[in-house]
Amino acid sequence: MYEVFTQYKTEIIYTVVTIFALLIVQFLLKKAAHRVGKRSEIDFTRTRLMFKYINILILFIAVFLLAIAWGMGLTELSLIFSSVFAVLGVALFAIWSILSNITSGVILFFSFPYKIGDKIKIHDKDMPIEAIIEDIKAFHLHIRTLEGELITYPNNLILQKAVSLVAKDVYLDGDKSSL
């Protein structure tokens, strides 16, 4: 055991320092996302979704840094990452709308001016919708029309259409009697 530690002493120290530093960065990013969510009065389930995205980002950074620490050269590492991303790119091209909705979900988290319970109007020339936001998920919004119809509206479309606020906080805490 002692021989292993002496042989890989610098790699082990670098690994411990890297993991500790990334845990601190992860904590700070989650704290910042929580603060943004609290300040913007964003539902905590949406904030937890941002936590998942932060965890994935930290994992990618950790794999990259630890591979370098354990002797993988930048040439080999770039070859592996470019191969993986090429395969993922081809695979994900078929499901680009899902990625578009996830990206839009992140954008909505930080900059969507409406929240759950707000009555909005989506200005679509083919099918205008006036509804109340029931939930904001990673891929779509759940909105309920005045007739009681539940519509699942993709996040990428909500960013592409003009949306106006009709009434703020139409119902809170599931009280739908004010519809």
Side-chain angles (χ1 to χ4, degrees), residues 12-40:
I12 292 171
I13 291 172
Y14 187 80
T15 299
V16 170
V17 168
T18 300
I19 291 172
F20 183 70
L22 287 176
L23 286 173
I24 291 172
V25 169
Q26 180 183 31
F27 173 76
L28 293 174
L29 287 173
K30 284 184 174 182
K31 192 171 181 139
H34 183 69
R35 210 173 321 131
V36 167
K38 207 172 195 179
R39 186 176 339 121
S40 302

Side-chain angles (χ1 to χ4, degrees), residues 2-17:
Y2 181 73
E3 297 87 23
V4 172
F5 182 74
T6 55
Q7 184 178 357
Y8 297 107
K9 181 176 157 184
T10 56
E11 288 89 351
I12 292 171
I13 291 172
Y14 187 80
T15 299
V16 170
V17 168

Side-chain angles (χ1 to χ4, degrees), residues 134-153:
E134 282 196 354
D135 202 359
I136 303 172
K137 304 256 183 209
F139 298 104
H140 53 266
L141 294 171
H142 285 174
I143 54 178
R144 189 165 303 272
T145 63
L146 303 177
E147 294 80 32
E149 178 185 10
L150 180 64
I151 297 174
T152 303
Y153 204 82

